[in-house]
């Protein structure tokens, strides 16, 4: 297995694990993952991770640009939506004594998903290993 496959498989593993890790948490509700009981965008990330796995098995590394960038794009889209919701909640509930119950906090799952997507892109960008020297 060459270094590109190692990077890619590590990225796919991180993405697969990452969709089940907490992304946001809220008082009373608790933590929410990206998979969200099969209704969230985490299903798309899992699909992209599976496609990346097939690409890695076929050793067609350039195609990983598509799956890696699509994953990062979806993560950015979700992050922007969550940030907008947090800002809207802060403004809407500014004078409400129960505003603290609506606060969202980002969790560590973001890091796992971002690292996984970056590793998939690293596998796409990596150069093939040089053949061993004949001596």
């Amino acid at each position: 297995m060459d270094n590109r496959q190692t990077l890619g498989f590590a990225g796919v593993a991180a993405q697969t694990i990452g969709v089940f890790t907490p992304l946001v948490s809220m008082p009373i509700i608790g933590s929410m993952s990206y998979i969200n009981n099969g209704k969230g965008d985490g299903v798309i990330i899992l699909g992209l991770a599976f496609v990346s796995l097939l690409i890695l098995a076929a050793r067609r590394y350039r195609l990983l640009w598509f799956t890696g960038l699509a994953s990062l794009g979806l993560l950015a889209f979700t992050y922007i939506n969550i940030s907008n919701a947090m800002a809207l909640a802060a403004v809407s509930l500014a004078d409400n004594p129960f505003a603290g119950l609506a606060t969202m906090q980002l969790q560590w799952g973001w890091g796992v998903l971002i690292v996984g997507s970056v590793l998939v892109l690293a596998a796409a960008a990596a150069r093939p290993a040089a053949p061993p020297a004949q001596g």
Side-chain angles (χ1 to χ4, degrees):
M1 182 169 11
D2 69 14
N3 60 341
R4 295 178 293 178
Q5 277 190 318
T6 303
L7 286 171
F9 286 138
V12 166
Q15 287 177 322
T16 302
I17 292 167
V19 297
F20 298 102
T21 60
L23 288 188
V24 294
S25 64
M26 294 177 61
I28 298 176
I29 295 174
S31 294
M32 295 177 4
S33 70
Y34 210 20
I35 197 79
N36 201 19
N37 296 326
K39 298 176 187 171
D41 290 339
V43 174
I44 297 170
I45 296 287
L46 278 178
L48 288 168
F50 180 72
V51 170
S52 294
L53 189 64
L54 295 176
I55 291 169
L56 287 164
R59 296 175 186 249
R60 304 283 308 245
Y61 302 108
R62 286 186 176 203
L63 295 174
L64 292 173
W65 285 107
F66 169 74
T67 57
L69 289 173
S71 296
L72 278 180
L74 187 57
L75 288 171
F77 176 76
T78 302
Y79 179 79
I80 289 168
N81 284 340
I82 289 173
S83 296
N84 288 340
M86 290 169 66
L88 182 62
V91 170
S92 301
L93 300 172
D95 296 328
N96 190 320
F98 299 105
L101 295 176
T103 58
M104 285 190 265
Q105 292 183 331
L106 299 178
Q107 295 295 317
W108 58 275
W110 286 102
V112 176
L113 287 165
I114 291 168
V115 166
S117 298
V118 168
L119 286 172
V120 169
L121 289 173
R127 300 280 177 227
Q134 299 290 328

